[in-house]
């Protein structure tokens, strides 16, 4: 699945409604951007970026192409998932392939929507899932230790090094601590171990506090509880009303903004999820701007110019000569490429240049 965000949650907390809103949201972003469902439970969602709209006002292109983000609707989870209860095995195998977890937590009362645990308690709900993730990691590490011990007996140096780290990690997890808080004994060995096991509690977690419309303007007691819990675990909480988000996907931008303003909200929860998820994955965008299209290209932060060029085509990296770069603010201030050049804001950058978020780039290459 690559660089993707997995949505998890107990039944009836709003996870599927949030995913449905995400899959529909692309239609509201750009009629020119083709929605793509790679698998029944995976969606490729455009990343809203007002900068592209501002560039388009200057360039007047035929189309706009946004950066995208992959979301995966993970199968529902129940107690005992780590032992195969419910769809636990499917849940755990799918989440293992994602990079960031978005945990949707119900933070509203509604007698018409039954909670599987019989009451609303966001901390209990969070702990149910996180305990299952810990149990799954415990099982994975135990199995790896058994394998490593056999290899270590044969004087396999790499196996001995991994075994030492794995045994310390097992003790850490056994005390109910997530892998993300494991004190590094040997960072390189741990990375190798985790690359193979893709441990669930090593992943970044964001919490989506699903509230009713009244809960959007002011934090209710459930949201406050969740925020306190998240702060202790160095995680973020994004507040959203999943039902409202799904209802608004067909709204025009002005109508949507008016609706949110009436509720005392500046940015929709859906947009916050997409933007923060993009950042959690360590991603950013640079732009190309021409009459055919204004486009955002997705790269990892701290990417060099040749590597950024390869996102467009591998030949761009192979034959890289230089990058002609204009910072976004300069491009807007001086009315486009020509104005920026006349103002001396066009730079020529070489192979060592680290691309900055929002750079407008034209690559020179020769193959």
């Amino acid at each position: 699945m690559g660089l993707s965000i997995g949505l998890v949650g107990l039944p009836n907390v709003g996870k599927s409604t949030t995913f449905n809103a995400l899959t529909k949201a692309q239609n509201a972003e750009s009629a020119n951007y083709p929605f793509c469902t790679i698998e029944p439970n995976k969606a490729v969602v455009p990343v809203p970026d007002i900068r592209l709209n501002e560039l388009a006002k200057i360039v007047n292109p035929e189309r706009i192409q946004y950066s995208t983000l992959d979301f995966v609707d993970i199968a529902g989870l129940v107690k005992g998932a780590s032992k195969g209860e419910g769809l636990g095995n499917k849940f755990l195998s799918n989440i293992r392939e994602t990079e960031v977890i978005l945990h949707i937590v119900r933070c509203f009362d509604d007698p018409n929507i039954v909670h599987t645990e019989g009451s609303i308690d966001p901390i209990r709900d969070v702990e149910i899932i996180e305990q299952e993730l810990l149990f799954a990691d415990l099982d994975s590490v135990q199995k790896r230790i058994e394998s490593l011990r056999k290899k270590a007996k044969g004087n396999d140096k790499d196996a001995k090094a991994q075994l030492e780290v794995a045994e310390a990690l097992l003790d850490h997890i056994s005390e109910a601590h997530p892998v993300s808080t494991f004190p590094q004994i040997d960072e390189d060995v741990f990375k190798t171990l985790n690359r193979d096991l893709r441990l669930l509690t090593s992943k970044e977690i964001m919490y989506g506090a699903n509230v009713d419309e009244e809960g959007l303007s002011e934090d209710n007691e459930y949201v406050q509880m969740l925020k306190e819990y998240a702060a202790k675990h160095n995680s973020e909480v994004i507040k959203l009303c999943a039902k409202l988000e799904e209802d608004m996907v067909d709204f025009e931008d002005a109508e949507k903004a008016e609706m949110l303003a009436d509720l005392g909200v500046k940015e929709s929860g859906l947009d916050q999820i997409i933007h923060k998820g993009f950042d959690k994955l360590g991603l950013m965008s640079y732009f190309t701007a021409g009459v055919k299209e204004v486009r955002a290209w997705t790269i990892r932060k701290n990417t060099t110019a040749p590597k950024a060029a390869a996102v467009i085509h591998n030949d761009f990296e192979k034959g890289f000569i230089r990058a002609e770069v204009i910072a976004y603010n300069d491009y807007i201030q001086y009315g486009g490429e020509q104005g920026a050049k006349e103002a001396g804001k066009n730079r020529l950058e070489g192979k060592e240049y680290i691309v900055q978020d929002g750079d407008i780039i034209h690559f020179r290459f020769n193959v």
Side-chain angles (χ1 to χ4, degrees), residues 165 179-180 182-188 190-191:
V165 173
V179 175
S180 59
F182 179 59
Q184 297 298 318
I185 297 174
D186 186 317
E187 188 173 354
D188 290 337
F190 172 77
K191 283 182 178 179

Side-chain angles (χ1 to χ4, degrees), residues 144-163:
R144 178 52 59 95
I145 286 174
E146 291 172 9
S147 173
L148 289 170
R149 280 176 177 164
K150 293 177 182 178
K151 292 180 180 179
K153 286 180 180 179
N155 289 322
D156 185 320
K157 291 183 179 180
D158 289 338
K160 287 182 177 180
Q162 282 197 40
L163 180 60

Side-chain angles (χ1 to χ4, degrees), residues 79-232:
K79 284 182 180 177
S82 59
K83 301 186 184 302
E85 293 294 329
L87 292 174
N89 290 331
K90 177 175 174 58
F91 169 89
L92 296 169
S93 64
N94 282 348
I95 197 172
R96 208 176 295 284
E97 299 306 315
T98 65
E99 297 298 321
V100 173
I101 296 172
L102 173 61
H103 187 167
I104 303 297
V105 185
R106 181 171 164 181
C107 292
F108 66 92
D109 290 302
D110 187 338
N112 296 314
I113 303 176
V114 177
H115 193 292
T116 55
E117 295 298 315
S119 62
I120 309 301
D121 184 341
I123 307 307
R124 177 204 59 212
D125 293 357
V126 165
E127 290 178 342
I128 286 174
I129 285 188
E130 295 188 351
Q131 187 175 54
E132 294 302 326
L133 300 185
L134 274 172
F135 286 156
D137 282 349
L138 194 65
D139 185 57
S140 294
V141 176
Q142 284 174 331
K143 288 178 179 177
R144 178 52 59 95
I145 286 174
E146 291 172 9
S147 173
L148 289 170
R149 280 176 177 164
K150 293 177 182 178
K151 292 180 180 179
K153 286 180 180 179
N155 289 322
D156 185 320
K157 291 183 179 180
D158 289 338
K160 287 182 177 180
Q162 282 197 40
L163 180 60
E164 182 182 356
V165 173
E167 288 177 337
L169 182 58
L170 183 67
D171 291 340
H172 181 79
I173 299 172
S174 297
E175 294 174 0
H177 299 308
V179 175
S180 59
T181 62
F182 179 59
Q184 297 298 318
I185 297 174
D186 186 317
E187 188 173 354
D188 290 337
V189 172
F190 172 77
K191 283 182 178 179
T192 300
L193 193 66
N194 195 30
R195 185 179 63 238
D196 294 338
L197 298 180
R198 299 185 68 82
L199 296 165
L200 303 176
T201 62
S202 69
K203 300 178 185 297
E204 285 260 19
I205 293 183
M206 302 187 296
Y207 298 102
N210 184 23
V211 300
D212 53 20
E213 288 189 23
E214 291 181 1
L216 282 175
S217 57
E218 187 174 346
D219 291 351
N220 60 34
E221 62 175 318
Y222 302 131
V223 174
Q224 291 173 12
M225 290 166 61
L226 185 59
K227 284 187 173 180
E228 288 174 7
Y229 179 91
K232 291 177 183 177

Side-chain angles (χ1 to χ4, degrees), residues 14 24 44 46 59 69 73 94 101 109 124 152 189 234 284-285 293 303 312 316:
K24 292 178 183 177
V44 181
V59 179
L69 201 54
D73 189 17
N94 282 348
I101 296 172
D109 290 302
R124 177 204 59 212
V189 172
N234 298 314
M284 55 174 257
S285 301
E293 72 174 11
T303 297
I312 300 177
F316 282 29

Side-chain angles (χ1 to χ4, degrees), residues 34 36 38 101 148 187 196 221 259 269 288 327 331 367:
C36 180
I38 307 301
I101 296 172
L148 289 170
E187 188 173 354
D196 294 338
E221 62 175 318
M259 170 71 80
T288 51
Y331 195 98
V367 178

Side-chain angles (χ1 to χ4, degrees), residues 242-271:
K243 184 63 173 68
L244 178 66
E245 296 286 352
E246 189 177 31
D247 291 342
M248 289 195 304
V249 291
D250 294 323
F251 285 15
E252 296 292 334
D253 287 345
E255 187 180 9
K256 185 177 178 180
E258 184 179 353
M259 170 71 80
L260 293 173
D262 289 343
L263 294 168
V265 180
K266 292 181 179 180
E267 184 180 24
S268 79
L270 217 57
D271 287 352

